[in-house]
Amino acid sequence: MPDLIPLRMQDREAWAPLWAGYQAFYKTAIAPEISNLTWTRLIDPAEPVNGLIAWSGGRAVGLVHFIWHRSTWTGGDYCYLQDLFVDDAARSGGIGRRLIEAVYAAAAEKGCSRVHWLTHETNSDAMLLYDRIAERSGFVQYRKLL
């Protein structure tokens, strides 16, 4: 089973292809300066943005990014699981589940009352996992790009 560790400065080269794979999966291209800013935030302990990387056989095979944020409904923070990606060659091996469960554990340790995330409605393979380890909220996301 892979090792899950918090992202460290020396993980940048291993993280970058996973981050690119995540973007390719969602058919998007995040500007390099935003990816650089994201990386800086991920490794800065003063930031509410966090990341874990899954290592197997000396190779990075998965990542998860999550963010602590305030809520008007609770005294403690919520945890938003923003990005989850497992390399194609490592899928169906339980890595995605382990990454999510590691976020659950980090959020519980921080005193969060909820972990939540979004996925695209066509991401049916991932939704099979999500339906086993979480509840669908029933909410629909609306957004306006500014």
Side-chain angles (χ1 to χ4, degrees):
M1 201 36 82
D3 294 323
L4 306 182
I5 61 165
L7 286 166
R8 305 160 300 178
M9 180 69 80
Q10 64 263 33
D11 294 328
R12 175 70 189 252
E13 286 185 31
W15 170 85
L18 295 168
W19 181 232
Y22 176 81
Q23 292 174 60
F25 179 83
Y26 280 108
K27 297 175 178 65
T28 193
I30 296 171
E33 62 272 15
I34 300 302
S35 288
N36 289 336
L37 177 61
T38 296
W39 175 256
T40 300
R41 289 174 173 167
L42 284 164
I43 60 169
D44 182 348
E47 284 283 341
V49 182
N50 304 276
L52 300 171
I53 192 164
W55 290 91
S56 181
R59 189 171 79 83
V61 295
L63 64 77
V64 66
H65 303 149
F66 52 103
I67 304 168
W68 313 129
H69 69 89
R70 299 284 188 218
S71 169
T72 59
W73 289 22
T74 65
D77 287 346
Y78 284 172
C79 177
Y80 177 54
L81 191 161
Q82 185 162 19
D83 310 309
L84 174 69
F85 182 75
V86 175
D87 183 78
D88 287 345
R91 292 212 177 131
S92 300
I95 296 167
R97 180 184 194 117
R98 288 203 51 227
L99 286 163
I100 293 169
E101 289 174 346
V103 172
Y104 288 170
E109 184 176 315
K110 178 146 175 69
C112 295
S113 62
R114 173 185 299 178
V115 174
H116 62 106
W117 66 91
L118 302 170
T119 195
H120 195 271
E121 64 189 11
T122 61
N123 195 2
S124 55
D125 288 341
M127 289 167 59
L128 292 172
L129 168 63
Y130 302 161
D131 286 343
R132 288 193 307 269
I133 64 172
E135 294 177 11
R136 285 194 196 200
S137 68
F139 284 87
V140 176
Q141 180 192 32
Y142 289 85
R143 67 180 172 194
K144 173 147 177 68
L145 299 179
L146 302 175

